[in-house]
Amino acid sequence: QYVIPSLHVTADASTVEYFTCPYAYVVKPNHLSQAVLFKPAGSSLTDAEYAQCQQWLKRSLFRETREYQYRLITPQLLIEPLLTFQGGS
């Protein structure tokens, strides 16, 4: 009941370059913190956002900050519906 459904999961940024959805969605990496793109309904990634996704997949918080819990995570991009409160906020 409280699990957010994944619309797309990939380790290949090229598969999200032209992704569109009839409702608002988010794109985020599974292996980073505080990284997310908010996309309105029917939109796809801009060139800058696509480049950002490519950069996310190259990063590792284990290598950058030695945060041990990140060492075995395979970098992937997750696309999920944008959750909002009633009224759209």
Side-chain angles (χ1 to χ4, degrees), residues 2-54:
Y2 297 106
V3 176
I4 301 169
S6 295
L7 302 174
H8 189 67
V9 179
T10 184
D12 179 3
S14 68
T15 67
V16 300
E17 185 174 10
Y18 300 108
F19 182 90
T20 59
C21 188
Y23 41 86
Y25 63 96
V26 298
V27 181
K28 60 187 182 179
N30 69 329
H31 63 291
L32 299 176
S33 176
Q34 302 179 27
V36 63
L37 297 172
F38 296 92
K39 300 300 297 175
S43 67
S44 59
L45 297 178
T46 65
D47 290 341
E49 290 168 334
Y50 174 63
Q52 180 67 64
C53 289
Q54 291 176 310

Side-chain angles (χ1 to χ4, degrees), residues 39-88:
K39 300 300 297 175
S43 67
S44 59
L45 297 178
T46 65
D47 290 341
E49 290 168 334
Y50 174 63
Q52 180 67 64
C53 289
Q54 291 176 310
Q55 289 303 311
W56 283 344
L57 291 174
K58 295 176 185 175
R59 291 186 58 196
S60 164
L61 284 184
F62 176 66
R63 286 192 313 264
E64 292 175 20
T65 64
R66 293 294 181 224
E67 291 194 51
Y68 188 73
Q69 64 273 20
Y70 288 97
R71 79 190 187 292
L72 299 177
I73 297 176
T74 301
Q76 293 183 316
L77 298 171
L78 308 174
I79 299 179
E80 300 172 343
L82 176 63
L83 300 181
T84 59
F85 293 105
Q86 286 183 338

